[in-house]
Amino acid sequence: MTVSPDLDRRFRDAAVSLDLVDVGFDVVDSPIGALFVAASGRGLAAISFESDPDEQLERLARLAGPRVLRSPRSVDPARRELDEYFEGERHAFDLSLDLRGLPPFTLSVLNELARVPYGQTTTYGALAAKVGRPRAARAVGTVMNRNRIPIVLPCHRVVGSAGDLTGYAGGLDRKLTLLELEGAR
């Protein structure tokens, strides 16, 4: 038995409406490739450059609960804001974020990261200093590498101490593309 696309969509929408979904996700097209995007009732929970849902489901279930469902409606606000960002119309995101489960140091670094303005860059050392740990540049680098909401939490805006592009979970090509989009390169 096959299910029509309309019935499938209605089922998924009903599950979200009835609060039967812990995390909804979809794969979103972007100029830098397909992005896996997930949102919970608390807010945007993940953006990943690894767009295969099967790779993400267990991590999402550990994060927010076992009821994980592909639900385009769940990520519509994030999709809209990402589209506006990639079109050059949005310079700041207005999305609630689901950062549960992150340690205090990581949260403090991500909070400072969120303050780095569109079109500007900072360094790992500068972020470390802003969170009161001036010798923790490498630890800040680890936080950037494990940032589960890239682009919205703009780890692409963090560069090496000499301004050089350093590692990026999405690859240096994507990092460069994002910085060029923002006019920072």
Side-chain angles (χ1 to χ4, degrees), residues 21-27 35-41 43-48 50-71 74-75 98-101 148-149:
V21 177
D22 295 322
V23 180
F25 70 89
D26 200 12
V27 176
L35 301 171
F36 176 89
V37 180
S40 73
L44 183 63
I47 295 177
S48 177
E50 298 297 325
S51 60
D52 181 5
D54 292 337
E55 303 288 324
Q56 309 291 331
L57 298 181
E58 186 176 324
R59 182 174 60 95
L60 285 175
R62 282 193 314 267
L63 169 73
R67 301 177 305 172
V68 179
L69 181 69
R70 186 169 200 152
S71 168
S74 296
V75 301
D98 185 346
L99 298 175
R100 71 179 113 175
R148 67 183 187 218
I149 310 177

Side-chain angles (χ1 to χ4, degrees), residues 100-111:
R100 71 179 113 175
L102 295 176
F105 176 75
T106 299
L107 289 172
S108 66
V109 170
L110 293 177
N111 284 331

Side-chain angles (χ1 to χ4, degrees), residues 7-176:
L7 181 59
D8 182 68
R9 180 192 51 77
R10 291 188 346 218
F11 164 78
R12 293 171 191 280
D13 288 349
V16 170
S17 295
L18 295 170
D19 201 26
L20 299 175
V21 177
D22 295 322
V23 180
F25 70 89
D26 200 12
V27 176
V28 174
D29 290 325
S30 83
I32 59 171
L35 301 171
F36 176 89
V37 180
S40 73
R42 295 182 185 191
L44 183 63
I47 295 177
S48 177
F49 300 109
E50 298 297 325
S51 60
D52 181 5
D54 292 337
E55 303 288 324
Q56 309 291 331
L57 298 181
E58 186 176 324
R59 182 174 60 95
L60 285 175
R62 282 193 314 267
L63 169 73
R67 301 177 305 172
V68 179
L69 181 69
R70 186 169 200 152
S71 168
R73 179 176 159 195
S74 296
V75 301
D76 278 347
R79 180 191 328 267
R80 181 181 46 76
E81 290 197 20
L82 285 166
D83 286 346
E84 291 168 357
Y85 169 80
F86 285 116
E87 291 166 4
E89 298 170 2
R90 175 170 292 280
H91 295 184
F93 291 91
D94 296 320
L95 300 165
S96 297
L97 303 179
D98 185 346
L99 298 175
R100 71 179 113 175
L102 295 176
F105 176 75
T106 299
L107 289 172
S108 66
V109 170
L110 293 177
N111 284 331
E112 280 302 323
L113 174 65
R115 291 183 177 99
V116 178
Y118 180 94
Q120 295 183 27
T121 59
T122 191
T123 65
Y124 299 97
L127 274 181
K130 286 187 176 187
V131 298
R133 303 271 306 274
R135 299 172 57 99
R138 281 198 170 154
V140 167
T142 299
V143 171
M144 296 302 102
N145 183 265
R146 295 180 182 161
N147 177 9
R148 67 183 187 218
I149 310 177
I151 304 169
V152 173
L153 290 173
C155 50
H156 61 277
R157 296 180 190 154
V158 184
V159 297
S161 60
D164 51 319
L165 296 185
T166 56
Y168 186 63
L172 290 180
D173 289 345
R174 284 187 178 120
K175 184 172 189 166
L176 181 59

